[in-house]
Amino acid sequence: MKKYKLAIVGATGLVGRTVLKVLEERNLPVSEYVLLASKKSAGKTTHFMGKDYVVQELNEHSFDEGFDFAIFSAGGDTSKKYSPIAASKGCIVVDNSSAFRMDPNVPLVVPEVNPEEIKNHHGIIANPNCSTIQAVVALKPLDNKYKIKRIVYSTYQAVSGAGRNGVLDLENGAKNYLENTDTPMQKFPYPIFSNCLPHIDTFLDNGYTKEEEKMINETRKILKRPELKITATTVRVPVFNSHSESINVEFENDFDMKELIDTLKTFPNLIVQDNTKEQLYPLATNASGKDEVFVGRIRRDESVPFGVNLWVVADNIRKGAATNAVQIVEELCDYKLL
Ligand code: A2P
């Protein structure tokens, strides 16, 4: 059986380290791994797959030696510069940044939702934004069955989505409050501890944030519904890990609630947790460390003819980034074997 060579770019970061963890848990047909990061980390040792790996500095020649695949989690600028170099040398890049997501030549893939897009790649495949991934896993089976007319997203996003400094801001904010210290914020414009910040990524001229625009555009691309009516408010909340989302959906067609719930239950990697009598609903703390998407609080929106409200939670670093990227590489291995 053929074995592949895989590069992990940004292997020392929050997402990159989780990519390594997910790779250790799964059995990909990979015989050689190379861990890449910035100059700062070059020479550092990471224990992975039972061995010590020395992290190498990413440069123009990193992909000279026959890589099959690379997972990039080192930010947009690094992806823009190095993904095309890797692709030009025959390496298929799965990119976690937003650099190429809306490029019409780049498939934007959630393997449960649109795996058929993978084979249309020209060397780069984009991993969607974390908030989009978990949303479309819950929405795809409903769009298939009842045709979505409009979506209203309201997100409650964890600080891990803002990288290492985001997590530090919440830890330091809690310390400042409890121990009366005065550590300044590094990532967020205001204290994240005790606040919900309706501000993720930069503001655009129309008053939306880039994060909101990403959710809208990426959902349309993944569901192949370019005209779909969508609005979004994305909020950073003082939660360490896992994003929660309130999703209001309006359909073109009527639905039976039991059938709708059964439709969600049968979709891969989507788990229904919905029993209000037993106070069962998805929670960030329960979703953390898992690869599935959790959905609950499923109820009819009585203000429109055919609408439903959902509460959708997933680990934003695993399913929202690392796991989704590794799943794409798994699918690529399968395609290559065909
Ligand atoms: P490093 O640790 O050497 O800075 P996070 O999002 O958690 O901050 O992680 C970002 C990841 O991207 C890290 O692994 C980081 O490496 C890597 N990275 C950042 N800039 C570069 C760059 N110019 N070249 C290669 N890797 C980079």
Side-chain angles (χ1 to χ4, degrees), residues 18 130 134 160 241-243 284 287-294 313-321:
T18 308
C130 44
Q134 66 185 72
S160 59
N241 195 53
S242 290
H243 291 349
S288 287
K290 311 243 170 61
D291 290 323
E292 294 86 359
V293 174
F294 299 85
V313 181
D315 187 325
N316 53 302
I317 301 293
R318 288 185 72 102
K319 183 54 187 163

Side-chain angles (χ1 to χ4, degrees), residues 57-124:
E57 183 188 352
L58 175 70
N59 62 46
E60 278 86 354
H61 299 292
S62 295
F63 298 95
D64 286 354
E65 285 168 36
F67 280 93
D68 296 287
F69 312 118
I71 297 177
F72 271 66
S73 316
D77 291 342
T78 306
S79 286
K80 274 187 202 142
K81 183 164 175 195
Y82 293 100
S83 297
I85 296 175
S88 74
K89 294 181 177 165
C91 172
I92 305 172
V93 172
V94 178
D95 182 32
N96 260 316
S97 82
S98 59
F100 302 101
R101 288 181 191 149
M102 294 315 295
D103 183 328
N105 287 316
V106 174
L108 184 63
V109 175
V110 178
E112 292 85 351
V113 176
N114 60 343
E116 69 284 353
E117 288 298 322
I118 290 176
K119 62 179 182 315
N120 299 329
H121 75 82
H122 302 280
I124 301 175

Side-chain angles (χ1 to χ4, degrees), residues 274-327:
D274 191 37
N275 186 340
T276 48
K277 285 197 190 79
E278 293 182 14
Q279 301 188 41
L280 177 69
Y281 38 78
L283 287 175
T285 47
N286 291 342
S288 287
K290 311 243 170 61
D291 290 323
E292 294 86 359
V293 174
F294 299 85
V295 57
R297 297 296 323 278
I298 305 164
R299 62 210 189 276
R300 193 174 269 276
D301 173 357
E302 291 168 349
S303 70
V304 292
F306 315 127
V308 73
N309 287 305
L310 309 171
W311 179 248
V312 176
V313 181
D315 187 325
N316 53 302
I317 301 293
R318 288 185 72 102
K319 183 54 187 163
T323 303
N324 200 74
V326 173
Q327 282 177 292

Side-chain angles (χ1 to χ4, degrees), residues 8-17 36-42 44 55-59 72-75 77-79 81-82 160-165 187:
I8 297 103
V9 180
T12 51
L14 215 51
V15 173
R17 279 184 282 125
L36 298 158
S38 78
K39 196 173 183 170
K40 196 179 87 194
S41 307
K44 283 188 186 160
V55 177
Q56 299 176 22
E57 183 188 352
L58 175 70
N59 62 46
F72 271 66
S73 316
D77 291 342
T78 306
S79 286
K81 183 164 175 195
Y82 293 100
S160 59
R164 283 175 292 200
N165 287 342
K187 183 76 192 179

Side-chain angles (χ1 to χ4, degrees), residues 2-288:
K2 181 159 169 38
K3 296 258 181 166
Y4 298 104
K5 184 168 170 181
L6 170 65
I8 297 103
V9 180
T12 51
L14 215 51
V15 173
R17 279 184 282 125
T18 308
V19 167
L20 298 180
K21 226 188 275 173
V22 174
L23 287 168
E24 280 180 328
E25 293 163 6
R26 293 173 176 239
N27 193 19
L28 270 71
V30 172
S31 55
E32 200 179 338
Y33 295 94
V34 174
L35 277 51
L36 298 158
S38 78
K39 196 173 183 170
K40 196 179 87 194
S41 307
K44 283 188 186 160
T45 302
T46 297
H47 199 72
F48 169 59
M49 297 272 185
K51 282 206 289 193
D52 283 333
Y53 279 80
V54 178
V55 177
Q56 299 176 22
E57 183 188 352
L58 175 70
N59 62 46
E60 278 86 354
H61 299 292
S62 295
F63 298 95
D64 286 354
E65 285 168 36
F67 280 93
D68 296 287
F69 312 118
I71 297 177
F72 271 66
S73 316
D77 291 342
T78 306
S79 286
K80 274 187 202 142
K81 183 164 175 195
Y82 293 100
S83 297
I85 296 175
S88 74
K89 294 181 177 165
C91 172
I92 305 172
V93 172
V94 178
D95 182 32
N96 260 316
S97 82
S98 59
F100 302 101
R101 288 181 191 149
M102 294 315 295
D103 183 328
N105 287 316
V106 174
L108 184 63
V109 175
V110 178
E112 292 85 351
V113 176
N114 60 343
E116 69 284 353
E117 288 298 322
I118 290 176
K119 62 179 182 315
N120 299 329
H121 75 82
H122 302 280
I124 301 175
I125 297 171
N127 217 34
N129 175 272
C130 44
S131 311
T132 311
I133 291 178
Q134 66 185 72
V136 294
V137 169
L139 293 174
K140 176 65 177 170
L142 302 182
D143 190 43
N144 285 348
K145 196 135 194 161
Y146 309 112
K147 192 160 188 219
I148 295 174
K149 187 172 173 188
R150 178 170 184 256
I151 302 168
V152 182
Y153 287 134
S154 308
T155 71
Y156 303 71
Q157 297 183 217
V159 292
S160 59
R164 283 175 292 200
N165 287 342
V167 175
L168 277 178
D169 276 5
L170 179 54
E171 283 174 0
N172 289 332
K175 237 187 245 166
N176 285 348
Y177 177 78
L178 294 168
E179 296 171 16
N180 213 18
T181 50
D182 199 17
T183 310
M185 296 296 104
Q186 302 199 50
K187 183 76 192 179
F188 302 118
Y190 298 101
I192 185 63
F193 181 79
S194 270
N195 275 321
C196 298
L197 307 179
H199 174 187
I200 303 183
D201 211 327
T202 50
F203 282 106
L204 304 168
D205 287 346
N206 64 0
Y208 280 72
T209 61
K210 260 195 191 166
E211 182 82 355
E212 290 157 354
E213 187 189 57
K214 283 181 220 166
M215 280 196 88
I216 294 167
N217 292 339
E218 292 178 23
T219 300
R220 288 177 175 150
K221 180 167 175 177
I222 297 165
L223 295 181
K224 301 184 182 103
R225 297 283 314 275
E227 308 293 326
L228 190 56
K229 290 187 200 313
I230 311 176
T231 189
T233 302
T234 59
V235 181
R236 188 76 68 192
V237 297
V239 165
F240 280 110
N241 195 53
S242 290
H243 291 349
S244 304
E245 298 176 347
S246 158
I247 308 182
N248 176 265
V249 197
E250 200 179 339
F251 300 115
E252 298 282 358
N253 303 306
D254 201 0
F255 62 92
D256 169 76
M257 188 52 99
K258 185 179 173 310
E259 186 193 68
L260 181 146
I261 292 172
D262 286 344
T263 303
L264 293 170
K265 278 183 181 162
T266 51
F267 199 70
N269 297 328
L270 180 62
I271 296 181
V272 174
Q273 290 182 325
D274 191 37
N275 186 340
T276 48
K277 285 197 190 79
E278 293 182 14
Q279 301 188 41
L280 177 69
Y281 38 78
L283 287 175
T285 47
N286 291 342
S288 287

